Amino acid sequence: MTEAFVRSTQPKPVDVEAGKTYWWCSCGASKTQPFCDGSHKGTDKTPMKFEATETKKVWFCGCKATAHAPLCDGSHKALESPAAT
Ligand code: FES
């Protein structure tokens, strides 16, 4: 199984439109984060479909560690560097 590449440790805010479909990058290799650009080809990862039911801002996961893909669930906080003391 291919591990997802951590592109960012922050969520990506996107203004989605009701009725539109979005393809979230699950592999982390896409250069058009948080969306798929086809870079997953050759891995066992596939993009995840997100169908917007409302027009609103949503936060797509950028770290690929969320348990509620494709949206951020706060899991990225465990990946961030601890603050200097
Ligand atoms: S960016 Fe991945 S859980 Fe927040």
Side-chain angles (χ1 to χ4, degrees):
M1 178 178 204
T2 307
E3 293 295 320
F5 174 74
V6 177
R7 176 63 64 182
S8 170
T9 57
Q10 295 295 314
K12 304 288 185 188
V14 176
D15 293 315
V16 299
E17 287 182 45
K20 288 189 78 174
T21 298
Y22 301 84
W23 291 94
W24 176 73
C25 166
S26 67
C27 73
S30 173
K31 291 180 176 55
T32 58
Q33 294 292 326
F35 302 118
C36 176
D37 71 355
S39 295
H40 62 277
K41 291 185 176 104
T43 73
D44 62 355
K45 301 289 185 190
T46 56
M48 178 177 281
K49 187 178 190 178
F50 177 83
E51 295 177 312
T53 57
E54 298 177 61
T55 297
K56 64 179 183 177
K57 185 182 298 292
V58 298
W59 282 262
F60 285 95
C61 172
C63 74
K64 314 307 178 187
T66 182
H68 298 286
L71 303 179
C72 173
D73 71 351
S75 295
H76 63 271
K77 291 175 184 166
L79 302 173
E80 295 171 345
S81 299
T85 55

